[in-house]
């Protein structure tokens, strides 16, 4: 019993220290996001203990800030003049400005940096409800998850990532939801739980109208697949189709590989086609960014021109742009579309500026020589 009481006392003391630290930080004007940036830096330096300490500090500052904002607004709307504006958020803002209520106006201005009045349906009550739930700090949960993932504490890491996913509506940068899903998918893959990996990768593609769902692909994607299967030269496919969703490239690529390795070629094919299409689109745009007069003519010309730009070569390597073409080649071969696979391997072997990819393609040609 005495040991339990000592642990309870230590925990209470620790929580009190965090609260006092947050209060002091708030008094000094420290921002939650700046502290979280410091935590991110510590994480990158593999100073995991310091990273966790700073995450806790950032979370405490965030909670204190949100609670203060809510109290400020609640007090500001009490006067009769403000109440006359009703629930109309824009009207309330005008009244607060007229009354020189700079504290309340500063709160709204801070919120409007990422959410405008129409995000709340121009409703003060909806904004107040959102603010009461904004004490959640999914960015902190993401970093907690990354730290525990790096330490191999996968169960703890996933619990933080799941919490961040559930509260993704409160992310300042909505696209951070992709980061959450990818981390959970990578952990599932590391643990050999490929069912969970598939589930998390599909979270990335939620709402992707071009992809659809496995086994229920969109008409556009099915047309892309038909184009690949009916044209041994792949000229029509590379000329006609583009999909500008680079953030989903890893999901398409990993799903294609996952489905291929599990023998579900019918599921792998659409994902592989879309991954290659995204890579094509990204390469084309990258070339157009450095050569405003560039227009796509053919795939071989595209990859040769890409190889002449050092920045593009490095960017393509860093973002795994070439791998989807190898995956598509492999899937096509397994599906019986061997002319198409051979054509694509030949392009990569002869013209790809990434030597590793070129060697792999050359090796595939040798291995599958007919």
């Amino acid at each position: 019993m005495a040991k339990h009481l000592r642990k309870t006392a230590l925990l209470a003391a620790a929580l009190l220290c965090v609260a006092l630290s947050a209060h002091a930080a708030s008094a000094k004007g420290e921002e939650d996001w700046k502290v979280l940036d410091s935590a991110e830096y510590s994480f990158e330096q593999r100073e995991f203990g310091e990273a966790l300490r700073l995450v806790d500090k950032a979370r405490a500052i965030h909670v204190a800030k949100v609670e203060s904002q809510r109290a400020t607004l609640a007090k500001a709307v009490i006067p009769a003049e403000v109440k006359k504006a009703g629930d109309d958020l824009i009207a309330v803002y005008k009244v607060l400005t007229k009354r020189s209520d700079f504290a309340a106006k500063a709160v709204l201005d801070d919120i409007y940096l990422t959410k405008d009045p129409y995000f709340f349906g121009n409703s003060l009550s909806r904004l107040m409800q959102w603010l009461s739930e904004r004490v959640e700090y999914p960015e902190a949960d993401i970093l907690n998850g990354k730290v525990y993932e790096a330490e191999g504490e996968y169960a703890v890491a996933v619990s933080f990532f799941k919490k961040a996913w559930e509260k993704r509506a409160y992310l300042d940068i909505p696209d951070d939801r992709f980061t959450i899903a990818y981390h959970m998918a990578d952990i599932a893959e590391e643990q050999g739980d490929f069912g969970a990996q598939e589930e998390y990768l599909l979270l990335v593609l939620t709402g992707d109208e071009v992809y659809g769902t496995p086994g229920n692909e969109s008409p556009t994607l099915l047309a892309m697949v038909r184009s690949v299967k009916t044209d041994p030269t792949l000229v029509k496919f590379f000329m006609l189709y583009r999909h500008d969703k680079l953030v989903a490239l890893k999901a398409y690529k990993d799903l294609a590989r996952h489905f291929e390795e599990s023998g579900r070629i019918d599921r792998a094919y659409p994902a592989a086609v879309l991954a290659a299409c995204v890579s094509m689109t990204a390469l084309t745009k990258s070339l157009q960014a450095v050569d405003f007069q560039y227009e796509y003519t053919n795939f071989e010309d595209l990859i040769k021109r890409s190889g002449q730009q050092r920045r593009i070569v490095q960017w393509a390597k860093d973002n795994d742009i070439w791998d989807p073409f190898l995956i598509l080649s492999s899937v096509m071969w397994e599906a019986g579309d061997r002319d198409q696979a051979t054509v694509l391997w030949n392009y990569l072997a002869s013209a790809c500026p990434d030597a590793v990819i070129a060697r792999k393609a050359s090796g595939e040609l040798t291995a599958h020589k007919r």
Side-chain angles (χ1 to χ4, degrees):
M1 175 64 75
K3 185 177 180 181
H4 175 73
L5 288 173
R6 282 198 301 273
K7 283 186 176 180
T8 303
L10 287 171
L11 178 59
L15 291 174
L16 178 60
C17 286
V18 170
L20 290 173
S21 173
H23 179 76
S26 179
K28 289 189 296 183
E30 280 192 273
E31 296 279 0
D32 48 7
W33 63 269
K34 287 184 179 179
V35 177
L36 199 63
D37 276 351
S38 296
E40 183 76 43
Y41 177 77
S42 294
F43 167 71
E44 291 169 356
Q45 299 303 307
R46 300 191 67 79
E47 298 170 356
F48 298 143
E50 178 64 4
L52 290 174
R53 186 190 73 81
L54 289 171
V55 170
D56 286 343
K57 181 179 178 181
R59 194 189 301 276
I61 294 171
H62 176 79
V63 171
K65 171 186 171 182
V66 172
E67 289 179 344
S68 174
Q69 287 179 326
R70 194 161 181 273
T72 298
L73 284 181
K75 181 180 177 181
V77 299
I78 291 175
E81 185 180 1
V82 184
K83 284 185 176 180
K84 286 181 180 179
D87 198 44
D88 188 316
L89 195 48
I90 293 175
V92 168
Y93 185 88
K94 289 179 180 178
V95 174
L96 293 175
T97 303
K98 181 181 177 182
R99 288 173 54 82
S100 298
D101 191 336
F102 299 118
K105 184 173 176 294
V107 169
L108 291 175
D109 287 339
D110 182 67
I111 294 171
Y112 291 164
L113 288 174
T114 55
K115 311 290 183 187
D116 64 29
Y118 298 102
F119 175 83
F120 307 101
N122 195 34
S123 166
L124 174 64
S125 59
R126 285 176 60 180
L127 181 145
M128 293 296 286
Q129 177 61 35
W130 176 86
L131 200 54
S132 69
E133 298 170 358
R134 186 64 182 94
V135 291
E136 298 291 346
Y137 200 14
E139 289 86 355
D141 295 321
I142 292 172
L143 189 46
N144 271 137
K146 288 164 66 176
V147 171
Y148 285 110
E149 179 184 5
E151 291 188 315
E153 297 285 346
Y154 293 139
V156 180
V158 170
S159 71
F160 276 109
F161 287 133
K162 283 185 174 179
K163 182 182 177 184
W165 180 263
E166 290 168 1
K167 303 300 179 182
R168 64 191 180 279
Y170 299 99
L171 289 165
D172 283 336
I173 303 174
D175 278 2
D176 280 347
R177 69 188 187 278
F178 299 121
T179 298
I180 301 168
Y182 278 134
H183 275 285
M184 292 193 292
D186 287 345
I187 290 173
E189 182 180 22
E190 179 69 22
Q191 295 183 306
D193 188 347
F194 301 113
Q197 179 195 15
E198 179 181 334
E199 175 188 344
Y200 295 138
L201 288 173
L202 289 174
L203 291 179
V204 176
L205 304 180
T206 301
D208 185 343
E209 294 181 358
V210 175
Y211 181 68
T213 57
N216 189 31
E217 291 79 12
S218 74
T220 299
L221 181 50
L222 292 176
M224 293 166 69
V225 171
R226 282 196 301 273
S227 177
V228 170
K229 295 181 75 66
T230 57
D231 178 11
T233 68
L234 298 176
V235 170
K236 181 180 176 183
F237 168 67
F238 284 133
M239 179 67 74
L240 290 183
Y241 295 103
R242 298 292 181 270
H243 187 40
D244 189 11
K245 196 164 185 178
L246 189 58
V247 71
L249 177 60
K250 177 176 164 57
Y252 300 135
K253 179 171 63 71
D254 288 358
L255 279 171
R257 183 180 286 116
H258 163 62
F259 286 138
E260 182 186 14
E261 290 175 352
S262 60
R264 292 179 286 176
I265 300 301
D266 59 323
R267 298 287 176 87
Y269 214 124
V273 166
L274 207 44
C277 187
V278 170
S279 283
M280 267 285 301
T281 305
L283 280 170
T284 303
K285 290 185 68 176
S286 67
L287 267 178
Q288 290 171 338
V290 297
D291 181 359
F292 300 136
Q293 295 183 324
Y294 170 74
E295 291 184 8
Y296 177 84
T297 55
N298 60 69
F299 184 69
E300 186 176 22
D301 176 68
L302 172 67
I303 56 180
K304 283 182 177 178
R305 285 175 179 263
S306 297
Q308 295 167 2
Q309 302 291 335
R310 186 179 304 173
R311 285 182 298 172
I312 294 178
V313 171
Q314 188 60 50
W315 164 82
K317 183 176 181 179
D318 292 343
N319 290 275
D320 221 6
I321 294 297
W322 300 111
D323 201 39
F325 298 118
L326 285 177
I327 294 172
L328 177 58
S329 299
S330 177
V331 170
M332 290 189 297
W333 184 273
E334 292 298 324
D337 298 324
R338 299 187 170 181
D339 289 336
Q340 290 90 326
T342 301
V343 164
L344 191 47
W345 277 325
N346 269 313
Y347 280 139
L348 295 172
S350 63
C352 183
D354 188 317
V356 173
I357 297 296
R359 282 197 299 271
K360 286 182 178 180
S362 181
E364 294 291 351
L365 283 171
T366 300
H368 296 95
K369 196 169 184 179
R370 291 183 291 169

